[in-house]
Amino acid sequence: MTISIEQAPALQPLDEYNQSLMSHVHPIDWVNPSPVDRYDLVVIGAGTAGLVVAAGAAGLGLGLKVALIEKSLMGGDCLNVGCVPSKCLIRSSRVVAQMREATAFGIQSPDVIDIDFAAVMQRMRRIRAGISHHDSAERFRNLGIDVFLGRAEFVESGAIAVKTTRLPFKKAVIATGARATRPEIPGLAESGYLTNETVFSLTECPPRLAVIGGGPIGCELAQAFQRLGSQVTLFHKHGHLLDREDADAAEIVQQQLLQDNLKLVLDCTLEKVETTNAGKIIHYRQNDKINTVVVDEILVGAGRTPNVDGLNLEAVGVNYDARRGVVVDDYLQTTNPRIYAAGDICMNWKFTHAADAAARIVIKNTLFSPFGLGRSKLSSLVMPWVTYTDPEIAHVGLYEKDAQEKGLETNTITIPLSNVDRALADGETEGFVKILHKRGSDQILGATIVARHAGEMISEITLAIATKQGLSALSTVIHPYPTQAEAIKKAADAYRRTLLTPRTQSLLKLLTKFS
């Protein structure tokens, strides 16, 4: 029996690029397959975690029967409303910033930079559509996976239903992701607001934009829209942006946002929103005073809420929390031993690459760990992350405050980019490489990089931590000259110089006499 699917909400505007995207990630003529008697693995959610689990299990050549269920768009947030579209906007906004900086490089900067916001968004849609075939329903069907488009819910411990179709399984994986959290602000819903799910459908740049949330998502999009023509007001409940990062790293980004003429409202509480002919009025409390800001649009980027609704998890004994998501152990197993979870639905690391890494753990633990033998742990991962502001902040491992809480004695080596030749040549001296290591050892505990392309630099340190290579090993790595990544070698060399004690110098002096 075949069942036609319900049509997913289409991304706007319905131009050729979005139509191409939809034809890949939720084709309107898709017909769900007839289910097999029992699947080895059923995956709910076709975002990064779900796609990797399904493709990995089906691609092993073992004849495993795999089903993949998606109620909305294949590719999940990353392709459709997250990583891909946001980085396209950020790239365009960086071009604007570089044009404004041109005079410092001996090139006359134009008096007026003509930003065609509609063209910026069209470029984003074109790129997004151009890569969407990688996550398409057809591609995964060709991998031997039964792809079901529609809503899924558990109906019993060993079966999932998609509408009236029952899919029995041996093991199942929940990978339904998360969505933007809506702040409980009176009048916000009535006034209307944007999230990452709707902001990329804009075709006109809002002249006045409020962004709620000073974390990575809020800062990235606030800076991008400011540079692309909005007057952005960024609201944050704490006294400093990017609270998770070290204060010295966050301060550099905060100062850059101010240089971009973005308005910051910190240490504030949003009281209410009302709609008038003049625009949306945001009432906020700061320093025990009520102030107002009038804007045209409001973008909410304050937190993520796990997508646990409608899965009927109670029926299969899967514990969950409405705010934290599905409860899993270190092996990503839920309270039902036949059901696992991966990605934003259950993890504190809400990154695409974290979902990918967790999916690989799930493949091993669900299919290749009989009686629990040889299972992999989530806690074994060395996880880097990047905030894609300009400059970027990249981090891996422990922060100094984390090390202090663990009672570890540490030393920190910081190399300012102003000491790096390539950064001087690039005019990108606002930033640093900071490496935290165990006192009395070259063991790297963590690192933070602030640079325009910090995300391209952090992997070298991530590899060192993952393979237990210390600063001494990094010191032996030959870096091309000139590159900004030389700052990493400079940090490693700085550690090596601390080993040159008077006793060591005496020994070396003795050796020279016999050389």
Side-chain angles (χ1 to χ4, degrees):
M1 177 178 65
T2 58
I3 301 174
S4 297
I5 65 164
E6 58 190 86
Q7 185 173 356
L11 295 171
Q12 298 295 328
L14 277 179
D15 61 1
E16 61 177 305
Y17 303 118
N18 274 344
Q19 290 183 53
S20 173
L21 173 75
M22 293 296 295
S23 72
H24 288 138
V25 300
H26 200 108
I28 59 173
D29 57 351
W30 187 263
V31 177
N32 285 339
S34 299
V36 300
D37 292 338
R38 193 183 193 200
Y39 288 99
D40 295 289
L41 196 63
V42 174
V43 183
I44 306 176
T48 298
L51 294 176
V52 173
V53 170
L60 295 169
L62 303 177
L64 297 174
K65 297 174 181 177
V66 180
L68 176 63
I69 308 168
E70 174 54 55
K71 71 176 183 179
S72 185
L73 305 178
M74 301 275 290
D77 274 16
C78 183
L79 170 67
N80 299 292
V81 294
C83 308
V84 173
S86 65
K87 300 313 166 285
C88 289
L89 260 66
I90 288 170
R91 181 67 185 97
S92 293
S93 73
R94 285 192 176 191
V95 171
V96 176
Q98 288 170 331
M99 291 176 69
R100 289 174 177 156
E101 297 166 357
T103 302
F105 295 88
I107 300 168
Q108 186 60 45
S109 179
D111 293 331
V112 177
I113 299 174
D114 187 8
I115 301 170
D116 187 341
F117 185 80
V120 168
M121 300 301 280
Q122 184 183 66
R123 172 185 178 270
M124 177 273 293
R125 295 194 299 273
R126 173 173 54 80
I127 293 171
R128 182 174 61 182
I131 65 178
S132 62
H133 64 279
H134 295 298
D135 296 344
S136 68
E138 184 65 29
R139 174 175 179 256
F140 279 77
R141 178 165 64 182
N142 290 339
L143 292 175
I145 299 167
D146 282 356
V147 177
F148 294 84
L149 298 184
R151 294 181 179 272
E153 66 173 331
F154 289 94
V155 290
E156 56 187 80
S157 185
I160 295 170
V162 182
K163 285 191 176 180
T164 59
T165 304
R166 184 173 176 274
L167 282 61
F169 63 81
K170 294 180 182 178
K171 299 283 180 65
V173 180
I174 304 168
T176 49
R179 64 187 183 277
T181 299
R182 188 189 82 181
E184 296 298 325
I185 303 170
L188 178 63
E190 294 77 6
S191 295
Y193 61 94
L194 301 166
T195 69
N196 69 295
E197 295 177 3
T198 54
V199 70
F200 301 111
S201 292
L202 292 176
T203 55
E204 295 182 2
C205 187
R208 301 167 298 180
L209 175 67
V211 177
I212 300 175
I217 294 174
C219 288
E220 288 175 10
L221 291 178
Q223 185 181 46
F225 272 90
Q226 177 71 28
R227 290 177 168 185
L228 291 172
S230 291
Q231 176 54 65
V232 175
T233 304
L234 177 57
F235 293 92
H236 190 47
K237 62 183 179 181
H238 299 301
H240 210 289
L241 300 178
L242 300 170
D243 314 278
R244 185 178 189 177
E245 302 297 340
D246 287 336
D248 52 356
E251 177 65 18
I252 292 174
V253 172
Q254 183 163 310
Q255 289 303 314
Q256 180 58 57
L257 295 184
L258 291 172
Q259 289 180 34
D260 288 332
N261 294 319
L262 190 147
K263 297 179 181 178
L264 297 182
V265 181
L266 305 175
D267 262 334
C268 68
T269 302
L270 302 186
E271 299 287 330
K272 67 177 181 178
V273 179
E274 60 179 328
T275 303
T276 68
N277 292 333
K280 301 176 183 183
I281 304 177
I282 299 175
H283 299 255
Y284 66 93
R285 181 181 298 274
Q286 188 183 47
N287 298 325
D288 293 325
K289 294 181 180 180
I290 298 295
N291 302 291
T292 61
V293 170
V294 183
V295 298
D296 302 293
E297 293 286 358
I298 300 172
L299 172 61
V300 173
R304 306 285 289 167
T305 298
N307 294 322
V308 295
D309 302 334
L311 294 174
N312 197 24
L313 297 175
E314 297 86 352
V316 290
V318 172
N319 290 345
Y320 69 93
D321 179 272
R323 293 181 61 186
R324 298 179 63 85
V326 172
V327 177
V328 294
D329 60 17
D330 202 16
Y331 305 105
L332 293 173
Q333 190 174 41
T334 72
T335 47
N336 182 326
R338 301 174 64 182
I339 301 172
Y340 287 69
D344 290 5
I345 188 64
C346 64
M347 294 160 51
N348 291 329
W349 292 324
K350 298 192 186 305
F351 316 120
T352 294
H353 52 284
D356 182 301
R360 296 167 193 268
I361 289 175
V362 165
I363 293 170
K364 181 178 180 182
N365 292 351
T366 55
L367 301 174
F368 306 109
S369 299
F371 312 110
L373 299 175
R375 291 187 296 175
S376 295
K377 295 182 178 181
L378 185 68
S379 60
S380 67
L381 298 178
V382 177
M383 187 62 60
W385 56 81
V386 183
T387 298
Y388 294 95
T389 46
D390 183 17
E392 297 173 349
I393 301 178
H395 180 82
V396 66
L398 298 179
Y399 292 99
E400 292 178 78
K401 57 181 179 289
D402 299 329
Q404 291 173 358
E405 290 173 1
K406 292 177 178 289
L408 297 174
E409 294 187 348
T410 64
N411 286 328
T412 300
I413 299 172
T414 302
I415 304 298
L417 290 187
S418 57
N419 292 349
V420 180
D421 292 355
R422 179 59 187 270
L424 288 164
D426 290 339
E428 298 173 3
T429 56
E430 288 296 321
F432 55 77
V433 168
K434 178 166 63 174
I435 298 180
L436 182 72
H437 69 95
K438 190 174 181 179
R439 184 172 297 174
S441 166
D442 74 341
Q443 180 186 352
I444 303 171
L445 299 176
T448 296
I449 301 176
V450 182
R452 177 159 276 178
H453 299 287
E456 307 296 337
M457 299 166 63
I458 197 67
S459 293
E460 180 179 356
I461 304 176
T462 305
L463 177 63
I465 296 175
T467 58
K468 300 185 180 350
Q469 300 294 312
L471 285 163
S472 298
L474 282 183
S475 181
T476 67
V477 176
I478 300 173
H479 291 73
Y481 177 86
T483 60
Q484 292 192 23
E486 277 187 285
I488 298 172
K489 182 176 176 61
K490 284 178 177 288
D493 288 345
Y495 166 76
R496 292 289 293 271
R497 286 193 293 273
T498 66
L499 303 179
L500 198 61
T501 63
R503 182 177 179 182
T504 305
Q505 287 177 317
S506 297
L507 178 60
L508 292 175
K509 187 175 182 179
L510 180 63
L511 290 175
T512 61
K513 294 182 179 180
F514 299 97
S515 297

